[in-house]
Amino acid sequence: MSGTYLGMPSFPKAAADAVHDVTLRANLRHATHTIRDKRAKAVAELEDWALLREAGKQIKNHTLRHLDRYLEQLESAVVAAGGTVHWAADAAEAKRIVADLVKATGQSEVVKVKSMATQEIGLNEALEAEGIAAYETDLAELIVQLGHDRPSHILVPAIHRNRGEIRDIFRKEMGSWGRAAPEGLTDTPADLAEAARLHLREKFLRAKVGISGANFMVAETGTLVVFESEGNGRMCLTLPETLISVVGIEKVVPTWRDLEVFLQTLPRSSTAERMNPYTSMWTGTADADGPRTFHLVLLDNGRTETLADEVGRQALRCIRCSACLNVCPVYERVGGHAYGSVYPGPIGAILSPQLRGIQSEIDASLPFASSLCGACYEVCPVAIDIPEVLVHLREKVADRGGKGHRVEKAAIKAAGWILDHPAALAAGEKAAARTRKLHPKKLPGAGAWTADRELPELPAQSFRDWWKKNRT
């Protein structure tokens, strides 16, 4: 897959370009409104939804507080079941581990289950550099890969594409990746799905190595869990001889019973289904069924640093349902690419700056990619207070310094001094009133803020003078 998020413009610039794309906005509006409406109906069916939401929050909070213990328990259980566990401190180490594991099998291609963690570290590009072809098998990820594109949504990576665009991509690109699209391919969903099925089937049957992520890892049993809707994941998890799973360390839950909560909340929040069509669970290896070799790569890549932040660590509760994207008025208008991260939307605005740091211009801009309307918090199935974390991260960006922030701090300090000296304030008010006809309509040096606003017109006299004249 070509394209990376490195070197992309900051959110304000990317968003300004995206809002002028009429087709993109139409695609996003149709898709997000459809998904959010279905989700609302699915959630309304459960009278105890609020209790399930709180339970998910508490399970995740408990796990994060004792993450070290549960990760060690998970490792022991995976090893006891016949798997091998690798620890990756960052993206570079994770990519090296996976590439070495694939090369050790002697294979030059792998099939992949949809995985945010592997996208986060840029695994496909790393494998390509090592001469290994990585084939995405999720339908939306396949569309993105064939289109030399980037994902723009957590659940529906190709949400920015319509059926006509997908048909054109399949016709043009499928042949160079494997089986070509059928002659006369139309843009009906059934025809597009059948074309993808035929294209992928030969890859499933040929592949000796599969790569996945996981939605959850159960510490007490060493079980990994993948939720998906198409069946491609089941093929990747069972047919290859070697399975490599790259999973963020925050995906662990303590017990098998904890899954009961998430088996109800994740499908309804993500695909608006009562139950996931395909829920695959595996524990180590078995002689008679599934892969003969299993490797689990536990990925940190900024998660430990995020965990140290008492407010920001809420983001690690995320179960990647994408409900927050579908209700966000900002995401609906600019799409996922504007966020410059594999994690777009409200969750991306608080997760990416913490995992990657706020040193770059794009990550420093993400906490401001929100109207703070709070819709994201209302739909989150694990009650992440995204607006609270956004404000928290904005404070961090402001504290980081820089020329603009020094000017802002100087202005606040000057305002504080004026308000502490009534005589100076009175003199300033009189001077401002007398020169009000000379005042500009736009505030110098604050063009972005005043682009759609005009400065309020000062009254002819201050309240202080009015009070003296009318009340003394």
Side-chain angles (χ1 to χ4, degrees):
M1 185 192 310
S2 67
T4 129
Y5 292 101
L6 296 176
M8 288 188 66
S10 61
F11 182 84
K13 174 65 168 62
D17 294 338
V19 294
H20 295 297
D21 188 331
V22 177
T23 301
L24 172 67
R25 294 189 63 173
N27 293 346
L28 288 170
R29 178 175 176 79
H30 172 73
T32 57
H33 281 247
T34 299
I35 297 172
R36 78 167 72 161
D37 292 344
K38 289 182 178 179
R39 177 202 172 275
K41 293 178 182 178
V43 167
E45 293 178 352
L46 295 181
E47 295 181 358
D48 62 344
W49 178 260
L51 295 176
L52 287 168
R53 184 176 188 243
E54 180 63 22
K57 171 184 175 181
Q58 295 301 331
I59 291 170
K60 282 289 190 174
N61 281 347
H62 168 79
T63 308
L64 292 173
R65 283 196 300 271
H66 305 283
L67 190 57
D68 53 345
R69 172 160 61 89
Y70 288 122
L71 287 173
E72 290 178 352
Q73 182 182 8
L74 172 73
E75 180 183 33
S76 298
V78 170
V79 172
T84 303
V85 176
H86 309 262
W87 298 80
D90 54 27
E93 187 173 9
K95 290 184 286 189
R96 177 184 58 76
I97 291 170
V98 175
D100 288 347
L101 290 174
V102 176
K103 286 190 288 186
T105 68
Q107 298 298 311
S108 60
E109 63 180 31
V110 300
V111 288
K112 291 183 72 237
V113 186
K114 181 180 182 300
S115 164
M116 300 301 295
T118 60
Q119 290 176 9
E120 175 188 327
I121 65 176
L123 181 61
N124 287 13
E125 293 80 7
L127 292 178
E128 183 180 359
E130 298 285 345
I132 300 167
Y135 297 116
E136 297 289 352
T137 64
D138 173 84
L139 176 57
E141 291 287 1
L142 174 66
I143 295 165
V144 169
Q145 186 173 51
L146 293 179
H148 305 283
D149 202 350
R150 290 185 298 270
S152 64
H153 192 278
I154 290 176
L155 178 68
V156 195
I159 196 172
H160 56 290
R161 298 289 194 182
N162 59 39
R163 292 184 302 176
E165 292 173 315
I166 295 169
R167 175 204 58 208
D168 294 342
I169 289 171
F170 280 8
R171 286 176 173 176
K172 179 181 178 183
E173 299 289 344
M174 268 188 170
S176 60
W177 288 76
R179 180 168 178 160
E183 289 291 333
L185 177 66
T186 72
D187 65 355
T188 63
D191 282 355
L192 295 174
E194 180 64 13
R197 185 179 295 111
L198 294 172
H199 176 81
L200 291 171
R201 186 56 57 103
E202 64 179 20
K203 291 181 169 55
F204 288 136
L205 297 177
R206 187 176 66 230
K208 301 296 183 182
V209 181
I211 294 179
S212 81
N215 294 98
F216 303 100
M217 303 180 290
V218 183
E220 72 172 349
T221 61
T223 302
L224 273 70
V225 186
V226 163
F227 289 31
E228 45 120 359
S229 299
E230 300 169 12
N232 64 293
R234 183 69 57 83
M235 301 286 278
C236 292
L237 295 169
T238 56
L239 291 180
E241 296 175 359
T242 299
L243 175 60
I244 304 168
S245 299
V246 183
V247 190
I249 56 175
E250 81 281 12
K251 293 299 186 68
V252 66
V253 294
T255 69
W256 184 264
R257 186 171 183 178
D258 293 324
L259 289 176
E260 176 188 355
V261 172
F262 302 110
L263 281 166
Q264 297 179 76
T265 57
L266 180 53
R268 290 176 188 266
S269 279
S270 57
T271 56
E273 294 167 301
R274 297 182 180 92
M275 184 176 180
N276 225 58
Y278 294 89
T279 301
S280 300
M281 302 183 183
W282 69 99
T283 306
T285 59
D287 292 336
D289 185 34
R292 302 295 184 267
T293 305
F294 171 56
H295 295 275
L296 171 59
V297 181
L298 291 172
L299 177 68
D300 188 325
N301 203 38
R303 287 159 174 78
T304 299
E305 289 81 357
T306 304
L307 186 62
D309 188 323
E310 293 186 4
V311 177
R313 73 174 61 150
Q314 294 181 65
L316 297 179
R317 294 206 300 259
C318 177
I319 58 175
R320 309 292 192 267
C321 71
S322 76
C324 61
L325 280 70
N326 300 324
V327 299
C328 178
V330 177
Y331 175 86
E332 180 187 321
R333 286 158 178 80
V334 304
H337 292 157
Y339 292 82
S341 167
V342 297
Y343 303 111
I347 187 62
I350 65 171
L351 185 59
S352 298
Q354 294 192 89
L355 295 182
R356 303 190 304 200
I358 56 174
Q359 288 74 28
S360 71
E361 183 180 3
I362 187 168
D363 287 310
S365 70
L366 287 178
F368 299 89
S370 170
S371 64
L372 299 180
C373 69
C376 49
Y377 170 66
E378 295 299 325
V379 299
C380 178
V382 286
I384 301 171
D385 194 340
I386 293 177
E388 178 188 30
V389 182
L390 286 167
V391 173
H392 173 67
L393 293 177
R394 290 179 184 186
E395 292 174 359
K396 284 193 169 187
V397 173
D399 291 340
R400 186 189 58 172
K403 181 178 179 181
H405 299 300
R406 288 199 298 269
V407 172
E408 180 181 328
K409 288 181 178 179
I412 292 174
K413 185 176 181 180
W417 184 90
I418 288 289
L419 293 173
D420 281 338
H421 296 79
L425 176 61
E429 289 172 345
K430 288 182 180 180
R434 290 170 182 169
T435 60
R436 62 195 185 99
K437 292 184 179 181
L438 303 176
H439 295 172
K441 296 293 185 183
K442 304 292 184 182
L443 187 64
W449 192 87
T450 59
D452 298 304
R453 304 175 178 88
E454 289 188 352
L455 290 175
E457 184 176 346
L458 285 173
Q461 63 177 168
S462 67
F463 175 78
R464 186 192 307 269
D465 289 339
W466 178 89
W467 184 270
K468 286 181 179 179
K469 180 178 179 180
N470 294 280
R471 296 299 181 185
T472 57

